[in-house]
Amino acid sequence: MTEYAGVGEATWVGLDNYREIFSDQRYVQVLKNTLVYGVVVVVFQNGLGLIFAAILNSIPAVRDALRTALLVPSMLSLVIAGYVWQYLYAPMGGGLNELLASFGMSSMQQIWLGDSSIALFSVAAVHVWMFVGYSTAIFLAGYAGISTEVKDAARVDGVSPIKSFFHIDIPLLAPAITVNITLATIGTLKSFEFPFIMTGGGPDYATMTLGLKIFQLIFQDFKYGSAAALSVVMIVLVALITIIQNSYLRAREDRI
């Protein structure tokens, strides 16, 4: 509730910092970006993780080797991963556009990090790529807790693998789903590293997240009071979403 530049005396401004956050369209866009980023990452990271886990669980011979391979990206430094993907996304000579050209799909080439309509999703894709292995590992641990008798009984009754996945696997994986969604939500809502490294929040604020905006307010604009106010907004947002999410997921587990 102050205006402070890091030196000198802090000036009391009351709720002015909060009024600015909710009235300035730039801050509103930052909140929107953070929520969209979070939804995209949570849905795709856990969706792909669940699919990979189901496939790996059905082929025990290669399960451990492939599970390790999926975890390799998460072992990298976030900084290194960000710079590598920044190069892969480069419009001229970047690995992704060159790969599309080699398959005769030049029309699909994009300025992945320079187009405001797709930049946020491009950054989110890197986050999914890096941590989908974690989600897969947690789902595989959940699969280990499913009784083989249940699966065998379903197979004897003629239940197809698809129906078994939706009506047996997913309900019995409820605890693993709760853990994965909670961890992914908290991790994405405070995301900072990939937007900072790959785009700096651009183009035109398209990839500016709450974590990155707080960093800029402190270390570039020297607005400590505004940064503190935005930090409170982020903490409250993460807490509310996590509480609502956990309440629903825990209630779902109890019903199952």
Side-chain angles (χ1 to χ4, degrees), residues 210 228 230-240:
L210 281 170
L230 194 58
S231 298
V232 172
V233 171
M234 183 174 73
I235 291 169
V236 172
L237 179 67
V238 172
L240 284 175

Side-chain angles (χ1 to χ4, degrees), residues 95-187:
L96 184 54
N97 279 343
E98 290 299 315
L99 182 64
L100 291 171
S102 66
F103 283 102
M105 295 186 289
S106 299
S107 59
M108 297 181 64
Q109 292 180 330
Q110 302 287 336
I111 305 175
W112 300 100
L113 299 178
D115 185 341
S116 59
S117 64
I118 62 172
L120 186 65
F121 300 103
S122 299
V123 176
V126 178
H127 196 123
V128 172
W129 165 83
M130 188 163 193
F131 293 106
V132 69
Y134 270 137
S135 297
T136 302
I138 293 173
F139 282 129
L140 282 172
Y143 266 111
I146 297 178
S147 172
T148 56
E149 295 178 357
V150 175
K151 302 285 286 184
D152 291 340
R155 195 176 301 111
V156 170
D157 289 339
V159 178
S160 68
I162 298 297
K163 285 187 177 180
S164 177
F165 175 74
F166 284 104
H167 297 289
I168 297 177
D169 294 3
I170 291 180
L172 293 179
L173 286 172
I177 291 173
T178 299
V179 171
N180 264 330
I181 291 180
T182 302
L183 292 176
T185 299
I186 295 173

Side-chain angles (χ1 to χ4, degrees), residues 14-33:
L15 296 175
D16 286 355
N17 289 326
Y18 293 96
R19 293 192 188 97
E20 181 183 3
I21 289 171
F22 292 106
S23 62
D24 190 329
Q25 286 302 311
R26 289 291 191 182
Y27 284 107
V28 174
Q29 185 177 355
V30 169
L31 290 169
K32 179 182 175 182
N33 289 345

Side-chain angles (χ1 to χ4, degrees), residues 28-46 78 81-82 85 89 112-113 116-132 181 183-202 205-212 234 237-238 241 245:
V28 174
Q29 185 177 355
V30 169
L31 290 169
K32 179 182 175 182
N33 289 345
T34 303
L35 291 174
V36 171
Y37 186 90
V39 170
V40 170
V41 171
V42 169
V43 169
F44 282 92
Q45 179 178 319
N46 288 292
L78 290 168
W85 275 94
Y89 277 139
W112 300 100
L113 299 178
S116 59
S117 64
I118 62 172
L120 186 65
F121 300 103
S122 299
V123 176
V126 178
H127 196 123
V128 172
W129 165 83
M130 188 163 193
F131 293 106
V132 69
I181 291 180
L183 292 176
T185 299
I186 295 173
T188 53
L189 290 179
K190 64 182 183 62
S191 181
F192 157 75
E193 294 88 349
F194 286 136
F196 173 68
I197 294 164
M198 298 174 68
T199 62
Y205 261 60
T207 59
M208 183 67 70
T209 61
L210 281 170
L212 180 54
M234 183 174 73
L237 179 67
V238 172
I241 291 176
Q245 196 178 70

Side-chain angles (χ1 to χ4, degrees), residues 22-95:
F22 292 106
S23 62
D24 190 329
Q25 286 302 311
R26 289 291 191 182
Y27 284 107
V28 174
Q29 185 177 355
V30 169
L31 290 169
K32 179 182 175 182
N33 289 345
T34 303
L35 291 174
V36 171
Y37 186 90
V39 170
V40 170
V41 171
V42 169
V43 169
F44 282 92
Q45 179 178 319
N46 288 292
L48 290 173
L50 183 56
I51 293 171
F52 291 154
I55 294 171
L56 291 177
N57 188 64
S58 65
I59 46 176
V62 296
R63 181 170 53 208
D64 292 338
L66 292 180
R67 176 169 52 187
T68 302
L70 284 170
L71 285 170
V72 167
S74 62
M75 298 176 186
L76 296 173
S77 161
L78 290 168
V79 175
I80 292 174
Y83 280 119
V84 168
W85 275 94
Q86 188 181 50
Y87 166 73
L88 292 174
Y89 277 139
M92 302 295 293

